[in-house]
Each structure stands twice: as C-alpha cells, then as structure tokens.
Amino acid sequence: MSSDRLSSASGSSVTGCASATVSTRKRFASWKNLTLLRRMVQLCMFIFLVYGATVVGFYAADKLSGALPSLSCAYDENGADYCALIPLQHQVDHGISRAQSSGNWLMLFLPVLTTIGTFMLMFVVLNKAFCGWICPLGFFQEVAHLIGQKLGLRKVDSLSSRWVDRVRPVKFLMLGGLVFGLPALSGLGFVSGDLGDPFCKICPSRIMTTLMNGTNQELYVNTSSPGYMVLSVTGDFLFGLMVAMALTLRQPFCRICPLLAMHAVFRKLGLARLVKQGSGRCDRCGLCAQACPMDIRELQTDFNHVAKPQDITHADCTLCGRCVEFCPDKDVLQLRYLGQPIFSSSPGYFKARNKTQKAWDRIQLLELQPEDKSQRKQQVTP
C-alpha cells in the first residue's frame, strides 16, 4: 500500500510540476511581444542618436562613423552619429570638381568608396534592421501613428496595390537624383552650387532631430538664393506632410527614403534575413501582408509551395518582424541571423499576440472620427 501511495504521490507531483511548467510557458507567451521589444530598442537608439553627443562629442569628427545606415542628421550637433547620405553628397559634389580640375579622379573615388565601405561594414551586421530597429525618423513616424490611432483618427490600413507600385520607384529616384545626380551636376558646374547636397536640404530628419533638441533653426525659409528658397520650402512642406500622413498611414516617408533604396541594393549581403516556406494556406490567409507597415503583398504571394525556406527580404522590408508575429502557421516565416532562426511564427505566439493587439486597439484617448460599424472588418493593426 505504501509503495502504491508513493507512486501515486510521485505521479501527482510530476503531473503538478508539468502543469506548472505549462502554465509558466503560457504566462510567458502571453506577454512575449516582439514589437514591444523592438520599440524599446528604437527608443534607446533614438535617445542615443539624437542626444548622444554628451557621450561621443559634439564635433563632426567625434561622431561614431559618419556613415550610419539610418537617417540620423549632422545638423543635430547633439547627435551621436549621422547617415552615409550626408558625406556621399559632399564627396560627389566636391570630389568631381577637384578631380576635373586636377585630372586626378582618385580624389573622387577614394572618399566615396571609403564612405560606402564604412556603411557596408555596419550594414552587413544588421542588414535592413537598421530601418526597422535603429532609425530615429522611422521611430518618430511610428510614434506619430500611435498617437493618431489613440486619438481615434481613421487609419489607412494599407495602400492599394496600384499606389504601392507607383510609390516604390520613388526611393530609387531620390537616391539617384538627389544623392548622386544633382551633386554630380553641381560639381561639374552644370547646375548651381545650391544643389550640392539637395537631399539634406529637404530631409525630414534634419528638422525632426533639431526640433527634438528644442530648436527650430532648421524650420525656416532660406531666401539667400532662389535655389535655397525652393529647397527650404520643399523641406518644410515634406516634414509637415510626413507628420500629417503618419497620423493615419504607416511609415509614409520610409516608403520613399533613399537610404531604404541603398539598403535594397546591398540587402543580399546582410547577415539578418527574413525567410519563408509557405504552403497553400498562405494563398487564402494574407495576415502577414496585412500586418506589414510597408504593404509588401509579396509576403503572401511568394514562395508558397517550396521545399525549403527562401529569402524573402524584399527591397522595401525593414525587418521589423511584424509579418512573423502575425503569421498563424508554425515556421512559415522566420527572422534568421547567419542562417539560424532567431524568431519564428507559431500558432501559440500568434494567438497571444493577436489577443494583446486587440486589447491595445480598444484603448482610445479620443474618438475624433466615429467608427462606421457597417463597414467594420477584422484587420491586423499596428
């Protein structure tokens, strides 16, 4: 009898421990949230990149790299670093001018290649996650969108496929025209020297970072020349448009950012990847594309009947991981680093994450735009 009781007690103990373990795992799964982790990282990087001069120094030569793969601005003297687009414009403009007058074209290529090389050394480590996890301007737009959501503004959940196709080439035009084209023409003397760094003059990050430091010195109209006046008015308008659109549309400026285009060119070299091994269920689902803040519909349509995971890191992808979070099928989508999965889709995570999202969406500060219940539909929201 004693041995039977001992066995029974042992069995009950094992069962109890197993139940406790399962319960603990369920509680862990209920709060585990990749988006929350990402936004904590974004907040830390925002503080560091916008106010980090107290750590690294205030002079341009003190900054971390001078070729950061994220839109952090040199006009912000309190920042810890600035993006690669700033030196590239000046190197193309001044380098072509010096090389043409001296006949020594190394004066152009060496500085440009050095900047791109420095950019690449960092970019390879995180790939396009520099957009989704590090960029201060990307975080600013996400916060603006959260504010718009909590004020009850009606969201544009996604752009139509037609508009997405129209917007996608703009980032490459911005990179080719404003970062390389006009500075090159300025260096050759075909256009005014006012156009030596045109992207910096209209970049929303220039105004955002300086405003975050309590100064409006970059929010102005420069009347010193017609070229500067046009660029400054364009920059002010673009910043205001970005803020207004971000209240209802996810990541409006990211869609046309020339740095995103530069990322797209080198994305196959990055160690971080988004991979997919889809099935027939993907054809009928589409939650991943719905969750994507960049409206990448290929997340649903590509690689649905493949034998092994395929790299689906799209040119517009920021590696934010939301598509993985809202995929309800096990291991269909994965974030990988050096080929190893670091975050995978799963039914358990999806269920807990979706529940958390719905609870978050119910929180409203104001209801500026009344909901049309007749048109209500179940959607994944940021």
Side-chain angles (χ1 to χ4, degrees), residues 164-218:
V164 170
D165 291 337
R166 287 178 174 179
V167 170
R168 280 179 175 177
V170 175
K171 60 182 177 294
F172 293 103
L173 295 175
M174 297 267 280
L175 178 65
L178 298 183
V179 178
F180 292 104
L182 287 177
L185 293 175
S186 175
L188 291 169
F190 291 118
V191 299
S192 168
D194 299 350
L195 299 175
D197 59 343
F199 178 71
C200 285
K201 296 294 191 296
I202 68 168
C203 179
S205 184
R206 173 177 62 89
I207 298 176
M208 184 276 291
T209 53
T210 50
L211 284 177
M212 289 296 105
N213 278 280
T215 174
N216 63 354
Q217 63 183 14
E218 298 301 328

Side-chain angles (χ1 to χ4, degrees), residues 3 11 15 32 45 51 85 102 137 139 148 160 166 171 182 218 248 290-291 320 331-332:
S3 61
T15 303
K32 186 173 58 174
M45 293 308 301
Y51 307 106
L85 302 183
S102 66
L137 190 65
F139 178 63
S160 66
R166 287 178 174 179
K171 60 182 177 294
L182 287 177
E218 298 301 328
T248 57
Q290 229 181 87
C320 66
D331 296 338
V332 167

Side-chain angles (χ1 to χ4, degrees), residues 39 42 46 136-153 155 208 212 239-253 360 382:
R39 284 177 178 157
Q42 285 179 299
F46 183 91
L137 190 65
F139 178 63
F140 177 82
Q141 291 174 85
E142 288 196 40
V143 171
H145 190 71
L146 289 174
I147 292 172
Q149 181 187 18
K150 295 309 162 191
L151 290 177
L153 299 177
K155 303 188 306 299
M208 184 276 291
M212 289 296 105
F239 176 74
L241 182 65
M242 179 199 72
V243 173
M245 292 183 69
L247 292 171
T248 57
L249 175 67
R250 296 177 292 181
Q251 310 303 101
F253 185 77
W360 167 256

Side-chain angles (χ1 to χ4, degrees), residues 60 63-68 81-87 115 118 122:
K63 306 308 179 183
L64 291 181
S65 68
L68 188 71
D81 207 354
Y82 52 86
C83 80
L85 302 183
I86 297 170
T115 297
T118 306
M122 292 184 290

Side-chain angles (χ1 to χ4, degrees), residues 25-326:
R25 287 175 179 173
K26 286 183 177 180
R27 285 197 299 270
F28 176 74
S30 67
W31 65 261
K32 186 173 58 174
N33 187 318
L34 182 68
T35 294
L36 181 60
L37 172 63
R38 182 173 63 86
R39 284 177 178 157
M40 290 173 63
V41 173
Q42 285 179 299
L43 176 60
C44 292
M45 293 308 301
F46 183 91
I47 294 171
F48 178 64
L49 290 174
V50 177
Y51 307 106
T54 53
V55 178
V56 302
F58 290 88
Y59 293 103
D62 297 331
K63 306 308 179 183
L64 291 181
S65 68
L68 188 71
S70 297
L71 281 184
S72 185
C73 189
Y75 284 85
D76 171 21
E77 296 179 359
N78 294 316
D81 207 354
Y82 52 86
C83 80
L85 302 183
I86 297 170
L88 282 176
Q89 290 170 90
H90 290 286
Q91 288 162 354
V92 170
D93 178 19
H94 303 310
I96 283 184
S97 179
R98 290 195 300 265
Q100 188 181 35
S101 61
S102 66
N104 181 6
W105 288 93
L106 286 176
M107 299 180 74
L108 166 64
F109 293 116
L110 279 181
V112 170
L113 290 176
T114 299
T115 297
I116 293 177
T118 306
F119 167 91
M120 286 297 300
L121 286 174
M122 292 184 290
F123 178 74
V124 166
V125 176
L126 292 180
N127 202 341
K128 293 166 73 62
F130 272 103
C131 288
W133 293 70
I134 306 297
C135 181
L137 190 65
F139 178 63
F140 177 82
Q141 291 174 85
E142 288 196 40
V143 171
H145 190 71
L146 289 174
I147 292 172
Q149 181 187 18
K150 295 309 162 191
L151 290 177
L153 299 177
R154 178 165 292 175
K155 303 188 306 299
V156 179
D157 288 304
S158 60
L159 295 178
S160 66
S161 297
R162 184 180 180 184
W163 272 106
V164 170
D165 291 337
R166 287 178 174 179
V167 170
R168 280 179 175 177
V170 175
K171 60 182 177 294
F172 293 103
L173 295 175
M174 297 267 280
L175 178 65
L178 298 183
V179 178
F180 292 104
L182 287 177
L185 293 175
S186 175
L188 291 169
F190 291 118
V191 299
S192 168
D194 299 350
L195 299 175
D197 59 343
F199 178 71
C200 285
K201 296 294 191 296
I202 68 168
C203 179
S205 184
R206 173 177 62 89
I207 298 176
M208 184 276 291
T209 53
T210 50
L211 284 177
M212 289 296 105
N213 278 280
T215 174
N216 63 354
Q217 63 183 14
E218 298 301 328
L219 188 63
Y220 71 110
V221 176
N222 188 338
T223 58
S224 61
S225 73
Y228 281 139
M229 185 170 69
V230 169
L231 288 171
S232 61
V233 169
T234 302
D236 294 343
F237 173 77
L238 187 59
F239 176 74
L241 182 65
M242 179 199 72
V243 173
M245 292 183 69
L247 292 171
T248 57
L249 175 67
R250 296 177 292 181
Q251 310 303 101
F253 185 77
C254 295
R255 300 165 188 263
I256 63 170
C257 177
L259 203 53
L260 181 68
M262 198 167 170
H263 288 187
V265 173
F266 298 110
R267 70 185 186 278
K268 295 298 183 183
L269 303 177
L271 302 179
R273 303 284 179 90
L274 175 67
V275 301
K276 178 183 177 182
Q277 186 176 7
S279 65
R281 281 172 51 85
C282 297
D283 296 325
R284 304 183 300 273
C285 179
L287 287 177
C288 57
Q290 229 181 87
C292 176
M294 301 294 283
D295 294 324
I296 303 174
R297 60 183 180 274
E298 290 84 354
L299 289 168
Q300 177 188 1
T301 59
D302 289 359
F303 305 127
N304 285 347
H305 304 278
V306 292
K308 60 181 181 179
Q310 303 291 320
D311 183 4
I312 198 172
T313 313
H314 190 270
D316 283 356
C317 179
T318 63
L319 289 179
C320 66
R322 281 184 57 81
C323 57
V324 187
E325 288 189 282
F326 287 98

